[in-house]
Each structure stands twice: as C-alpha cells, then as structure tokens.
Amino acid sequence: DPYITVICVSETLIVLHHGLQLPPEQILAKMKRFGGSGTATITEILLHILLFGINRDIELYQHTRQMIAELSNRFDQGLTTDVLDEIQKLTNQVGRLQSTTEDRLILMGTILTLKSPLLELNEVRSYFKEAMNGLQQMQRWLERLEGRLQGLFQHYNLSLQNSTNNRLRVLTVISAI
C-alpha cells in the first residue's frame, strides 16, 4: 500500500514515501506552477501534501462509486456468484477509504491545535479548515456508499432466496406427481 511519512525537524521537512504517483519532491514545482514562488514554508508544503492525499482519495471514491453503479446495473442482467465477491471487495475498499479519511481528519485536527515555531498556521489555517470540511463531506459520501453496498448485498440475498424457493416449489410439484 502507498504511504507517506512527514517529519518536521528544525527548518527541515523530511518526507518518506512509497507507491505515490506524485512524489512529494515535485510538490514545490507544482506550487510554483500555480502561482507560488517555488519556495514555501514547511506548513505550506505539509498542506499541499495533505491536499494531494485528499484529492487522491476523492478520485478513488469516484472510481468506487462508479464500480458500485456498474455492479448495481449488473443485477438487472442476472445474478452470478462473482457478484458477492465484488460486493465484498468494494466494501473493503470503502472501509479503507473511511479509515484513511478518519486518519486525515485526526491529523489535521491535531495540526490545527499545535503551537510550534515549525508550523506557522496563521496564514493557512482557513485552508486546513476547508480541507477538514471536505474530509467530513467525504465521510458522509462514504457512509452512503456503504449503505448502498449493504442494500446490494440484501438484494443479492433476497434474489438468491427467491430463486431457491422457486426451485423448491418445482421439486415439490414433481415429487407430488
């Protein structure tokens, strides 16, 4: 799994990462392209790293939502045994996203309460709060996806039960004859 670890020491930001599509070293260049000076405070870099992760999670959420919609459409075409596997896979994916979102909220809440000369929050506090609001919205979206997956699972079980009941009726009629 991809990860990122950020360590602030004195006037240095140490970033350890694995499996990221956009390495944190490129964040300064990205900030410069979007109007920054190319030099940034540790707080600004940390904010951009967090926003990168949030945007990545939003993309994964949208992809998951699309996969659930496709799975829902497949119910109309008939049930197969792989549907249950896909529901489980998507449920796990939503669970990981919920965990990541909760971790990011805790991290951002902790950062906002820190009083350290390393993190000058006065200029970027509103951006952190805006990002936290976005994460809270994403939590609500993920809860809806989880509910939708539970509905699909119940629909699958009811369809399976109806199919079994129909087979039992046929077998009862045949055994009566």
Side-chain angles (χ1 to χ4, degrees):
D1 285 343
Y3 70 87
I4 184 166
T5 302
V6 179
I7 304 168
C8 298
V9 181
S10 187
E11 294 182 12
T12 306
L13 183 70
I14 301 169
V15 180
L16 306 172
H17 64 90
H18 171 74
L20 296 174
Q21 295 173 343
L22 177 63
E25 297 84 25
Q26 295 178 7
I27 288 179
L28 277 177
K30 184 178 178 186
M31 288 170 65
K32 189 173 183 179
R33 268 190 313 224
F34 292 107
S37 63
T39 60
T41 66
I42 287 176
T43 309
E44 290 169 336
I45 294 170
L46 185 58
L47 176 63
H48 276 71
I49 290 171
L50 288 169
L51 291 176
F52 169 72
I54 291 169
N55 289 335
R56 196 163 175 262
D57 287 349
I58 289 171
E59 289 172 8
L60 185 56
Y61 160 79
Q62 290 171 336
H63 176 72
T64 303
R65 185 180 66 184
Q66 181 62 34
M67 290 175 64
I68 292 171
E70 291 170 5
L71 182 63
S72 181
N73 291 337
R74 284 185 29 214
F75 267 92
D76 298 336
Q77 300 168 358
L79 296 175
T80 60
T81 55
D82 66 327
V83 168
L84 192 58
D85 293 335
E86 284 191 53
I87 290 173
Q88 185 61 44
K89 181 180 127 189
L90 290 168
T91 300
N92 291 341
Q93 194 166 326
V94 168
R96 280 192 304 272
L97 270 171
Q98 285 175 322
S99 177
T100 301
T101 302
E102 186 176 316
D103 290 346
R104 287 188 206 286
L105 273 170
I106 292 169
L107 173 65
M108 293 184 94
T110 303
I111 288 172
L112 284 172
T113 61
L114 287 177
K115 291 182 180 166
S116 168
L118 294 176
L119 298 173
E120 308 259 343
L121 294 173
N122 295 335
E123 296 176 15
V124 293
R125 186 174 301 275
S126 63
Y127 296 112
F128 272 91
K129 287 183 178 178
E130 189 176 313
M132 284 184 72
N133 289 338
L135 285 170
Q136 290 167 342
Q137 177 65 39
M138 188 158 158
Q139 276 187 320
R140 289 188 290 273
W141 293 343
L142 290 169
E143 287 170 4
R144 279 184 281 208
L145 281 185
E146 189 175 39
R148 194 165 176 199
L149 283 167
Q150 288 173 352
L152 286 174
F153 182 71
Q154 288 174 349
H155 180 71
Y156 175 82
N157 283 334
L158 287 173
S159 297
L160 197 61
Q161 184 179 4
N162 286 340
S163 175
T164 302
N165 287 342
N166 288 339
R167 288 184 184 138
L168 287 174
R169 279 189 211 117
V170 169
L171 288 174
T172 303
V173 169
I174 290 174
S175 67
I177 296 177

